[in-house]
Amino acid sequence: MTESDKMKKTVLVTGGTRGIGEATARLFAENGYNTVINYRESCEKAATLEKELSGKGLSVMTVKTDVSDPVQTEEMIKKITVRFGGVDILINNAGVAWQGLTQDMSDSDYRRVMDVNFGGVFNCTRAVLPYMISRKSGSIVNVSSVLGVSGGSCETVYSASKAAIIGFTAALSKEVGLSGIRVNAVAPGVIETDMNACHNEETMHELAECSALMKNGTAQEVARAIFFLAEDSASFITGQTLKVDGNVLI
């Protein structure tokens, strides 16, 4: 780590090689943060992204970790600590989706959705808190979903995992506030990312019509909301869930 890197804050973005995670990682890196990009499977994408950002003189590190595994998560935080000293800002973005009738969901699918979407938030948060508490400073932004607020048919467990994040955010903010740590969440609506690539153009158009703005969101728009909540400009905001959904009408 260079002397310059020591002066910077370090952000960890989970699920940071695509969609909202990639847009968020890029935004932090371009604004001078030591940026750690976590991924589980996208080795080639992670390498390409690291090479691109590092080539611009930005401070970037990629780490392959399944955040649903607490042991792997602890090892990831140790690696980051060796490189940058610790995590000042945590963006819990990693997530998986599952669509179908509840009675058709297997035990393994249920566990995977809950273990990644909520378990990953818990594992990463628990791992970074000692450093943040010791410094009396820190910011955590969790990526939930509007389905965590309103629920979605045929996405019951996904909705439940995202609702758990909202409850966790509100509760943790009260627990760690005296330690100078802020905890917030964003709840994106329909965003044009790989996760929604399963929908055809007609379906995406219909979903856009459910927004008061008559459009779907972009990963960059969500990233800017995350960046705002994470930074000191939102220093008196904690325990909140910001919907980034164009005001879904139904």
Side-chain angles (χ1 to χ4, degrees), residues 175-190:
E175 181 177 316
V176 299
L178 286 175
S179 296
I181 302 167
R182 297 184 302 106
V183 189
N184 291 290
V186 294
V190 179

Side-chain angles (χ1 to χ4, degrees), residues 8 11 21 29 38 44 68 87 92 98 106 109 127 130 133 137 145 183-184 197 199 208 225 233 245 249:
K8 300 175 183 177
V11 59
N38 156 260
E44 185 175 341
S68 71
V87 174
N92 281 310
W98 190 92
S106 68
D109 285 335
I133 291 172
S137 175
S145 166
V183 189
N184 291 290
H199 301 306
S233 54
D245 66 346
L249 301 175

Side-chain angles (χ1 to χ4, degrees), residues 1-13 24-38 53-54 57-62 80-91 131 135 227 231:
M1 180 170 62
T2 66
E3 287 301 318
S4 175
D5 290 342
K6 291 179 182 178
M7 301 297 293
K8 300 175 183 177
K9 287 186 177 180
T10 298
V11 59
L12 166 61
V13 182
T24 302
R26 286 181 179 276
L27 187 56
F28 275 99
E30 289 165 357
N31 278 273
Y33 286 83
N34 297 321
T35 304
V36 182
I37 301 171
N38 156 260
L53 296 176
S54 296
L58 305 177
S59 178
V60 178
M61 172 186 180
T62 56
I80 297 170
T81 301
V82 169
R83 173 80 178 271
F84 294 124
V87 174
D88 300 290
I89 298 173
L90 170 63
I91 311 300
Y131 175 78
R135 292 176 60 85
F227 188 78
E231 281 228 305

Side-chain angles (χ1 to χ4, degrees), residues 44-107:
E44 185 175 341
K45 183 62 188 291
T48 301
L49 186 57
E50 182 175 23
K51 182 178 180 180
E52 176 195 340
L53 296 176
S54 296
K56 297 178 180 179
L58 305 177
S59 178
V60 178
M61 172 186 180
T62 56
V63 186
K64 177 179 171 62
T65 302
D66 183 345
V67 296
S68 71
D69 184 330
V71 175
Q72 287 190 41
T73 301
E74 288 285 352
E75 287 301 313
M76 173 176 66
I77 300 305
K78 288 178 182 177
K79 291 177 183 177
I80 297 170
T81 301
V82 169
R83 173 80 178 271
F84 294 124
V87 174
D88 300 290
I89 298 173
L90 170 63
I91 311 300
N92 281 310
N93 168 73
V96 294
W98 190 92
Q99 294 181 326
L101 296 174
T102 303
Q103 65 265 30
D104 294 335
M105 191 175 202
S106 68
D107 290 344

